[in-house]
Structure formats: C-alpha cells, structure tokens
Amino acid sequence: MSNCVIVGINWGDEGKGRMVDLLTERFDVVVRYQGGGNAGHTIINEKGKFALHLLPSGIFRKGVVNVLGNGMALDPENLWKEIMEVRANHIDITPDNLLISERASLLMPWHRELDQLEELRLADKQYGSTKQGIAPFYSDKYQKKTILAGELRDMDALRIHLRDLLEWKNLTLTRVYGAAPATMEQLDDWLHNYCEPILPFVCDTGAYLKKTQTEGRSILFEAQLGALRDLDYGIVPYTTSSNTLASYAPIGSGMPSVRIDEVIGVVKAYSTCVGDGPFVGEMFGPEADRLREAGAEYGAKTGRARRVAPLDLVATRYGVELQGATQIALTKLDVLSYMDRIPVCTRYRLNGKETDRFPFPADIDKAEPVIEYMEGWHCDISGIRRWEELPEAARKYVLMLESAVSCPVTFVSVGPERDSIILR
Ligand code: GDP
C-alpha cells in the first residue's frame, strides 16, 4: 500500500489504534507525528491488551519500524516506562524497530506540574486537561525554551542549556504559581533515569523516512485525538495543543516533503467526548449510561467516563473535510445492536435556523441537535465478517453516513479484536 495517514474525524477515541494495529501488516514503517502521552490507543491482539500512549501501534508487528516524529511532545519518563511495560510482555523494542527523532522536543518534568497548577488556578473554568503537560510543553516549544532529543548526545552542553531553562522556568513556578522551584538535582535524576535509556533510539528520522520512500517502502502515519481537537481548526479552547490533522503528518514526522496517498478517517458509530466543552446532542441519564456501558466508554489514559451522544453528521462532515479523508473506517457498529431505533444528529438548529455547517467555536454551545431516527437491527453483529451478511438496517446505517459525508466507508469494525472487521 502507498503512504497513508490514519486520523480521527471527531473528538478522538474513535478506535484509531485498532485500525493501525490491523493495517500495520501492509506497511513497513509506522510514524507518530503529533501529541504526547495525553491520549491512548487501546489495542487487543494475540499478545494481550495494551494501552499505548506514546509508542506507535506498529510496535507489535515483527519487521515494522516505528518512528516518533519531531512534532510530538516527547516525554522521556512516560516513554521509558511504556517501553518497559511492553517489553515485559515479551515484545522486542530495540533501536532497530523504534526510532526517535533527534529534533523532537522533550517534555520536561515541570510541564506536567505546570499543567496541574494551571488547571487548579482555573478551578471551575478548567479546560479539562489530562494534566500530562502538553499545553505547557507546546507553549515552551513555540518560545524555543525546550531541549531537543539530539542534545542528549552531549550531556555537558545539555547541562548548561538546562541550567538556563531552569532559571527561567523557576520564575514562573515560584512567582506566578507560588510553587517550589525545580532543582538541578531533580533534573539530573530525570536525565539519568529516563533520558539516558532512550538515547540509543535517537537518530535523524527524516533521513530514514526519505530512504524509506526512495526504496519504495510504505509509511503509515498515526495521529492522536481527532479533527475537532485540532489546535487551529477544532473547538478552541477545548482542543489539544498540537495539530491533529493529516496535513500536519509530513511536518511532524521529519520529512516535510513526504508524499501522502491516502487518508483513512476513523469515525465511531456514535459520538463520545472526554473532558469539557460544547458537545451538541449529549445524552444524559439511563439512556447515556446504557450506551456508555455498551461501548465501554472510559478514557484509556484517565479512566474518566466519556460523554456520549448520537452520531453527529454535522461534526463528522466537518471532520472529513478537515482531514481530507479519502476513505472512512467506521468502528463500534456492534455497540448499537441493543437499540430499537438509533438516533442520529443530522443538522444543528442555531439562531432559529437549521444548518449543516459546523459553527464557529463560541457559537457551538448555542446549537441544538436535530435528531432523526434509523431503524435498529436487533441482533448481535459482532461475528459477521462480510458486508452482504450484515442486516439490512445496519447496512442502511453505514450507507447513510457515507452519503451524508460524501466519503466511502471501506472498513466496518464490529468488535475490538484484530479480525472483527468487514472490508468493503
Ligand atoms: P483510539 O484512541 O482512537 O485508538 O481509541 P480508544 O483506544 O480510546 O478507543 C477505542 C476502544 O474501542 C478500544 O477499547 C478498542 O478496543 C475498542 N474498539 C475498537 N473498535 C471496536 C469495535 O468495532 N467494537 C467494539 N465493541 N469495540 C471496539
């Protein structure tokens, strides 16, 4: 297969991890190009059940090379812990199958602390951060106050750089938030425990990707979160602090000129959202509990109960456009099997008018959902592997989505396992 990006179309948690896990057998290289450990992919395969936060989902396939690109918030502490966890399940992780961009900026211990301090300060106006330090990290990156993974090669020079950063950062910690200052001893421990162990994986990933493309091998780019969480085009400020769009993959991977051939947009058969912010069509009470239970909708990173809502065609169409999706993978169709009739948000009502345009962020809260109902299929579909064998009502549901967003649905997932998939 040619080069392909797998992205989320909505709020994240669409099931991208299971799609990457499925498709990695068709690719030679899997690349993460944005975000950090603030979201997670849950992957179930023959080796067990894993919650990956930083490692690319290709880590389980023999022969696949995994790249952590420069666009990521590279957290050495969590990365090293995750490597050790996965290794404990007898999965090899070596500099042959994991490459870390020398241009990736490192998420520092103080980023996590600042994230918590700021959410505390915001009190009931919190942005709903996962407190993994992502926003403070990207702010510092834009201020050029971070260190690059490649700097780990020269510890003496790095310590001088770190001392300067420490002096600067302590002004914020102590004078803005009244917190205790960070110390060089703490940073030395951090370097020793988490940075030195990852150094063997650090290299020029751009050169590697260029070679991969020249040799005609294929690359899969794996995004985190979804289009509505994009820093520029999402529901600001309830977004993440990086660009979750497919168009950022070349820049965040290390090879800005890399060719993208396909964009697979992952859409869940209903909507979920973690954290705060407007969520048109949100379901509450027993109806919401039932859907949340049926879909096991609890955050992979935080364990937080996810908010649930019907499939939102307005948001999904916007997401498909933003991602430039060339095909859709629809996940969790099996979860809807219990419903007699299935609600779908087809339009929004805003300022007295119906619209199918996704509103400006500050207006979303004023929008109300226009709900229509599709017929349910009243049977377990999780064992079905062929499109023709799906009940007619389930096929109608898929075709409705396809025509509403003008993009072909090429995969229908009916269970979390690797083979619970219908290819169209
Ligand atoms: P990601 O971050 O986009 O990969 O999504 P998450 O991992 O947070 O959420 C996807 C969850 O749904 C995981 O627990 C998957 O194992 C599970 N899952 C994925 N596809 C399906 C499906 O088609 N049916 C069911 N029942 N579960 C699925």
Side-chain angles (χ1 to χ4, degrees):
M1 207 187 196
S2 35
N3 296 343
C4 173
V5 195
I6 295 195
V7 286
I9 293 295
N10 302 102
W11 290 261
D13 305 316
E14 296 92 347
K16 295 174 295 297
R18 71 96 67 238
M19 288 309 300
V20 178
D21 183 58
L22 174 77
L23 293 175
T24 43
E25 69 175 355
R26 305 185 190 176
F27 293 87
D28 302 298
V29 179
V30 180
V31 187
R32 280 270 322 258
Y33 60 90
Q34 47 81 224
N38 51 328
H41 294 313
T42 311
I43 292 172
I44 300 175
N45 57 33
E46 75 281 0
K47 293 179 178 137
K49 181 174 179 184
F50 301 90
L52 295 186
H53 303 293
L54 287 154
L55 288 171
S57 311
I59 203 73
F60 302 109
R61 294 267 190 193
K62 270 216 153 27
V64 169
V65 175
N66 297 273
V67 175
L68 297 178
N70 54 281
M72 286 187 73
L74 195 88
D75 179 343
E77 180 172 340
N78 280 342
L79 176 61
W80 185 239
K81 287 180 180 165
E82 197 168 307
I83 290 175
M84 298 304 277
E85 260 175 56
V86 174
R87 275 182 176 168
N89 287 281
H90 311 291
I91 290 151
D92 280 343
I93 303 183
T94 69
D96 288 332
N97 71 343
L98 180 68
L99 315 182
I100 299 174
S101 168
E102 62 188 8
R103 285 184 167 270
S105 299
L106 301 189
L107 188 139
M108 312 289 296
W110 52 60
H111 290 135
R112 240 189 303 274
E113 191 184 347
L114 284 168
D115 210 346
Q116 293 180 10
L117 289 167
E118 177 57 14
E119 286 285 282
L120 269 177
R121 191 194 68 81
L122 283 167
D124 59 349
K125 293 190 181 130
Q126 290 190 5
Y127 289 180
S129 165
T130 55
K131 305 190 184 79
Q132 292 299 308
I134 305 299
F137 163 86
Y138 279 107
S139 318
D140 283 1
K141 177 172 171 174
Y142 274 76
Q143 289 200 67
K144 299 160 289 179
K145 301 277 197 201
T146 53
I147 57 174
L148 303 182
E151 290 184 62
L152 296 174
R153 292 186 196 119
D154 182 347
M155 283 291 170
D156 291 338
L158 175 59
R159 276 208 178 78
I160 295 170
H161 189 180
L162 274 176
R163 261 195 205 95
D164 290 345
L165 289 182
L166 181 72
E167 191 186 315
W168 170 76
K169 188 50 83 181
N170 276 340
L171 294 175
T172 312
L173 280 169
T174 59
R175 298 199 195 170
V176 176
Y177 291 103
T183 65
M184 200 60 207
E185 290 69 41
Q186 289 167 341
L187 288 180
D188 275 332
D189 284 347
W190 173 75
L191 284 175
H192 177 70
N193 294 334
Y194 306 115
C195 297
E196 282 169 16
I198 64 165
L199 179 57
F201 301 93
V202 174
C203 63
D204 181 352
T205 55
Y208 176 78
L209 292 176
K210 192 167 169 202
K211 189 161 156 274
T212 301
Q213 181 163 286
T214 310
E215 291 170 358
R217 289 182 295 141
S218 54
I219 308 169
L220 182 64
F221 299 89
E222 175 183 11
Q224 181 215 34
L225 298 167
L228 304 176
R229 300 294 192 201
D230 183 81
L231 179 61
D232 285 271
Y233 295 93
I235 306 172
V236 181
Y238 302 99
T239 62
T240 193
S241 300
S242 64
N243 292 101
T244 58
L245 300 186
S247 50
Y248 187 72
I251 293 181
S253 65
M255 188 186 167
S257 61
V258 74
R259 197 191 60 238
I260 302 293
D261 303 296
E262 289 286 335
V263 178
I264 300 181
V266 187
V267 176
K268 185 146 57 180
Y270 50 94
S271 306
T272 61
C273 164
V274 178
D276 300 308
F279 189 39
V280 180
E282 180 162 10
M283 291 153 74
F284 298 96
E287 194 195 12
D289 293 341
R290 179 94 199 261
L291 180 53
R292 190 176 299 114
E293 288 303 317
E297 294 298 348
Y298 298 92
K301 179 77 200 175
T302 56
R304 284 190 284 190
R306 292 175 181 154
R307 300 158 72 193
V308 294
L311 178 65
D312 182 333
L313 297 180
V314 182
T316 304
R317 196 180 299 112
Y318 180 64
V320 165
E321 270 173 32
L322 288 179
Q323 296 290 17
T326 57
Q327 38 183 310
I328 286 178
L330 180 66
T331 61
K332 293 198 149 180
L333 191 62
D334 55 303
V335 172
L336 301 183
S337 298
Y338 75 89
M339 289 188 180
D340 287 332
R341 50 179 207 157
I342 304 172
V344 178
C345 172
T346 54
R347 288 178 300 282
Y348 289 173
R349 200 172 296 111
L350 185 62
N351 302 326
K353 286 196 198 121
E354 286 194 8
T355 176
D356 50 18
R357 269 200 66 228
F358 196 68
F360 179 72
D363 294 332
I364 304 175
D365 250 344
K366 294 178 232 150
E368 285 168 34
V370 176
I371 302 286
E372 293 179 24
Y373 290 88
M374 301 278 297
E375 203 190 316
W377 41 88
H378 315 285
C379 64
D380 179 9
I381 57 169
S382 58
I384 293 176
R385 298 291 174 267
R386 286 159 51 92
W387 171 249
E388 306 78 49
E389 285 163 16
L390 268 182
E392 193 185 353
R395 275 185 277 145
K396 273 193 179 158
Y397 191 79
V398 178
L399 294 173
M400 169 276 299
L401 167 68
E402 190 171 87
S403 94
V405 303
S406 310
C407 186
V409 176
T410 51
F411 300 89
V412 179
S413 172
V414 290
E417 299 81 15
R418 196 179 264 176
D419 73 331
S420 307
I421 194 96
I422 296 167
L423 307 182
R424 278 183 74 211

